[in-house]
């Protein structure tokens, strides 16, 4: 796992391998007492198209899913900063398709023995 600073307010936890690179983006908030708080605000995935479509050159794809629109009011800006940082660290290069989304958690439930509150 690699950490990459995107800006003073955002950093990435990044994992590579197995043909699927992915990570989480966190927003850093500093409290008055100097304590640092990090909140997850987005997830991203770097993929290769499995079957190249006709009329499309081989390229990488970077999909950025913003999960906290309150802390990321401009998803396109965060996606662009992410692309440039990943490019600088050799994780992606051009040609690439950059796509951003605003995702909303709609629910979830455990399957099997997941939670341990004791």
């Amino acid at each position: 796992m690699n950490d990459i600073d995107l800006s003073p307010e955002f950093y990435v936890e990044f994992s590579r391998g197995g043909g699927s690179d992915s990570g989480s983006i966190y927003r850093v908030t500093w409290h008055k007492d100097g304590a640092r708080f990090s909140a997850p605000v987005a997830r991203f995935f770097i993929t290769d198209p499995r079957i190249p479509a006709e009329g499309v050159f081989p390229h990488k794809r970077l999909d950025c899913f913003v999960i906290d629109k309150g802390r990321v009011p401009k998803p396109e800006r965060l996606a662009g900063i992410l692309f440039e940082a990943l490019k600088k660290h050799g994780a992606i290069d051009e040609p690439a398709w950059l796509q951003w989304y605003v995702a909303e958690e709609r629910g979830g439930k455990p399957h099997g023995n997941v939670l341990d509150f004791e």
Side-chain angles (χ1 to χ4, degrees):
M1 177 158 325
N2 302 307
D3 287 348
I4 300 172
D5 290 327
L6 299 181
S7 71
E9 28 176 15
F10 295 104
Y11 73 92
V12 167
E13 286 183 350
F14 181 46
S15 179
R16 300 185 79 173
S20 175
D21 301 340
S22 63
S24 296
I25 303 172
Y26 294 84
R27 178 151 188 186
V28 177
T29 304
W30 295 93
H31 294 282
K32 288 185 249 181
D33 63 1
R36 177 181 154 163
F37 173 74
S38 298
V41 295
R43 299 260 313 136
F44 66 90
F45 304 90
I46 301 171
T47 56
D48 292 319
R50 293 179 101 186
I51 302 171
E54 198 172 314
V56 176
F57 292 112
H59 65 283
K60 293 277 191 188
R61 181 179 177 102
L62 173 58
D63 292 289
C64 181
F65 295 85
V66 171
I67 58 174
D68 190 335
K69 184 85 160 99
R71 288 188 172 113
V72 182
K74 295 184 178 180
E76 65 279 7
R77 182 176 172 272
L78 180 62
I81 292 168
L82 173 66
F83 178 79
E84 292 303 323
L86 292 173
K87 186 175 166 183
K88 179 180 173 184
H89 285 84
I92 195 167
D93 205 356
E94 295 180 19
W97 180 263
L98 172 61
Q99 186 84 34
W100 54 89
Y101 310 81
V102 176
E104 179 183 340
E105 184 178 322
R106 302 297 289 212
K109 66 178 186 175
H111 288 267
N113 203 10
V114 175
L115 305 173
D116 181 10
F117 292 115
E118 294 182 9

